[in-house]
Amino acid sequence: MEEFRLDLPDSEISYCPYFLSSDEANRYFGLFMKTVPWQQDAISVFGKTYPQPRLTALYGDNDKPYSYSNITMRPHKFTPELLLLKEKLEHRVQTRFTSCLLNLYRNGRDSNGWHADNEKELGRNPIIASLSLGQERTFQLKHRKNKNLKHKMILGNGSLLIMQGATQHHWLHQVPKTLKDVGPRINLTFRIIR
């Protein structure tokens, strides 16, 4: 299975464009669109509150909540399909994940602004395994200190992006809005919530 590491300083990021076949990815996409209990929370940024520009759901094998941007999510129990994906990922990265945060980007207006996955529940050097289903979208990275260090890539259907090591200390990432007429994308971010 093809995988390459991004040549970015202060990071440990790898990308596998075909972690799932397009048939597998499409099957999971259709299933999760219909069966996941998607929710839209209010998010607080710089003292203002507005609906988060995407839908989310949290699953886990423990009862640990996950908090970010003044939102606290409680996990649903993993479904058999999510457990299958989790096992496949764990075999690939040799890590046991406790939780999966799913994001549904309904169209180009849905986005996820600049952030790092550096909440204390994730531990010091978290590993985040991000699986993309559906519409491909642009993923951007920028270094926190060196403003000249930026990277942009397309995350395709069935692809896997792994961020680990010191990445979250030094880099921010986002999925920006787009004016293009794009279909929905589901992103599954497997993580360890302590």
Side-chain angles (χ1 to χ4, degrees):
M1 199 180 291
E2 183 190 5
E3 181 175 325
F4 56 88
R5 185 162 167 175
L6 273 59
D7 185 20
L8 298 173
D10 306 325
S11 79
E12 207 175 316
I13 306 171
S14 59
Y15 182 62
C16 176
Y18 308 111
F19 181 72
L20 297 178
S21 71
S22 58
D23 284 351
E24 279 180 299
N26 292 339
R27 193 174 73 247
Y28 280 118
F29 176 81
L31 178 80
F32 296 148
M33 280 293 283
K34 289 206 268 299
T35 61
V36 169
W38 298 106
Q39 63 191 62
Q40 186 172 30
D41 293 296
I43 192 167
S44 297
V45 180
F46 303 121
K48 293 196 171 161
T49 302
Y50 55 91
Q52 193 168 214
R54 64 191 176 282
L55 305 184
T56 58
L58 180 68
Y59 286 81
D61 62 11
N62 57 31
D63 291 325
K64 300 271 167 65
Y66 182 52
S67 299
Y68 64 95
S69 301
N70 296 326
I71 294 169
T72 298
M73 301 185 75
R74 303 238 163 246
H76 304 282
K77 289 277 179 242
F78 276 118
T79 63
E81 295 81 14
L82 280 169
L83 281 172
L84 276 174
L85 283 175
K86 180 169 115 69
E87 285 167 21
K88 186 177 166 104
L89 271 167
E90 287 173 341
H91 180 72
R92 178 64 183 256
V93 298
Q94 297 297 296
T95 298
R96 193 186 154 277
F97 295 105
T98 65
S99 311
C100 180
L101 177 63
L102 289 84
N103 295 288
L104 170 57
Y105 299 86
R106 295 159 293 182
N107 52 47
R109 290 186 302 280
D110 277 358
S111 63
N112 196 346
W114 288 113
H115 70 285
D117 295 314
N118 58 359
E119 292 76 21
K120 68 177 186 301
E121 305 97 300
L122 299 178
R124 175 153 173 73
N125 289 323
I127 176 167
I128 309 286
S130 173
L131 181 61
S132 294
L133 305 172
Q135 177 70 52
E136 64 180 28
R137 288 289 294 264
T138 300
F139 181 78
Q140 296 175 327
L141 291 145
K142 70 176 179 182
H143 197 274
R144 285 174 182 270
K145 291 200 174 108
N146 185 340
K147 300 304 177 207
N148 297 318
L149 286 176
K150 296 176 185 164
H151 186 76
K152 181 164 77 169
M153 60 194 294
I154 301 295
L155 300 181
N157 185 30
S159 69
L160 175 64
L161 181 82
I162 300 163
M163 296 184 284
Q164 59 188 323
T167 304
Q168 306 300 330
H169 299 285
H170 300 287
W171 290 83
L172 300 173
H173 57 275
Q174 74 164 352
V175 175
K177 294 181 191 303
T178 176
L179 293 173
K180 289 183 193 155
D181 184 18
V182 297
R185 168 187 184 247
I186 293 174
N187 166 236
L188 295 81
T189 60
F190 287 86
R191 51 193 71 211
I192 300 161
I193 296 179
R194 300 177 195 287

